[in-house]
Amino acid sequence: MKKAIYPGSFDPITLGHLNIVKRACKLFDEVDIVILNNPNKHYFFEANTRKELIEGALIEQEIKNCRVVVYDQLLVEYAKKTGITNVIRGLRMVTDFEYEFQLNAINKKLFPEIETHFFMTDEKYSFLSSSTVREIAHFKGDISQFVTKNVELCFNNL
Ligand code: ADP
């Protein structure tokens, strides 16, 4: 079985993330979506809410070969623990590249077996980020074309 890890904040999961998940699922038999806690970030949704939102989104989009995990240690520790050394990340623009380049180098130093696979964003999601969705939702704007129904409902119920 070919397995991969898709780590991130997913605060919340967007159609951009889901596009990457779907494409990764064509190359890997199983993808673990791993919600990591970056101490430098302040999150809008609790980790468990983010997990529920991802699980609901996967059902809505009929994506089956994924599991969702909350993990509060380093990504490399998750990789060592599970033996999954393939990592998926998405790239939108040049600014993503710089950040991802650094992250990849650090992960390699910590655990050389790690292999990160980069998926170029689908053009229609190249501008889309969780923070954009939060910002639009904050001002009661329409986020329906950026997220699944369950995520939209969650914002409506805040
Ligand atoms: P992190 O805090 O680890 O950057 P994110 O949830 O913001 O977590 O992103 C997780 C991964 O998904 C990153 O590799 C990011 O570049 C990618 N990603 C986020 N939004 C998109 C999108 N619209 N298209 C492609 N990749 C994306």
Side-chain angles (χ1 to χ4, degrees), residues 26-88:
K26 288 188 187 153
L27 296 181
F28 295 95
D29 301 303
E30 200 176 274
V31 175
D32 284 4
I33 301 178
V34 181
I35 301 167
L36 295 173
N37 273 317
N38 178 340
N40 294 321
K41 281 196 177 180
H42 170 76
Y43 298 103
F44 186 76
F45 291 111
E46 294 281 334
N48 279 329
T49 306
R50 282 181 272 153
K51 180 172 190 269
E52 280 170 23
L53 290 175
I54 297 172
E55 285 168 343
L58 292 174
I59 293 171
E60 250 183 66
Q61 301 251 314
E62 297 179 17
I63 302 170
K64 297 201 172 76
N65 43 339
C66 280
R67 52 182 198 142
V68 190
V69 182
V70 175
Y71 194 66
D72 56 15
Q73 290 175 53
L74 289 173
L75 166 66
V76 289
E77 293 308 320
Y78 187 82
K80 285 180 191 169
K81 185 181 85 153
T82 57
I84 307 174
T85 50
N86 292 304
V87 174
I88 307 292

Side-chain angles (χ1 to χ4, degrees), residues 6 8-10 16-17 41 89-90 92 96 100 121 125 128:
Y6 181 25
S9 306
F10 308 106
H17 291 124
K41 281 196 177 180
R89 296 286 288 175
R92 282 160 296 186
D96 271 353
E100 296 293 340
T121 185
Y125 303 125
L128 181 56

